Amino acid sequence: MRLVLTAAAVSLALSACASAPLAFAPLDGTISGTCHTDMVKGAVGLAAAQPTLERIRVDSDSTALSTGDQAAPATEGGSTVHVQVGEHNAITAIGCSGTSVAMQ
């Protein structure tokens, strides 16, 4: 009887975690809108699942995300982070594109 209750409790706990929505917020509370890839380069090689892509967008400080199999731009700055997706839905490169912010 005890084993059955334990298994039921574990199953209930796991299902609660799986159904909880994922929300990502930037560490400093704001997104600047200027893309930086230094904080997201470790995602290369991971699967391009929706939560991973959203985490990349937030951590790169970008306001937009694009994906595809075309080469990721090598530039920093702009408002969009581009995630290049290769075979088997794996992230192969990450770059920034979009309207660049003038540096002074």
Side-chain angles (χ1 to χ4, degrees):
M1 178 73 169
R2 186 174 190 196
L3 180 60
V4 172
L5 290 176
T6 303
V10 169
S11 176
L12 181 61
L14 289 176
S15 67
C17 290
S19 64
L22 296 174
F24 299 110
L27 293 176
D28 62 359
T30 61
I31 293 179
S32 72
T34 303
C35 178
H36 303 283
T37 60
D38 55 338
M39 297 299 289
V40 296
K41 61 186 173 188
V44 173
L46 297 177
Q50 190 57 43
T52 303
L53 295 173
E54 181 61 13
R55 183 85 252 173
I56 289 170
R57 187 193 64 77
V58 170
D59 288 351
S60 68
D61 239 5
S62 301
T63 56
L65 169 86
S66 67
T67 61
D69 59 357
Q70 68 273 20
T75 60
E76 289 290 312
S79 58
T80 302
V81 63
H82 177 76
V83 178
Q84 181 181 358
V85 180
E87 291 184 25
H88 308 292
N89 201 37
I91 296 171
T92 56
I94 301 172
C96 298
S97 63
T99 305
S100 295
V101 175
M103 301 300 282
Q104 297 191 16

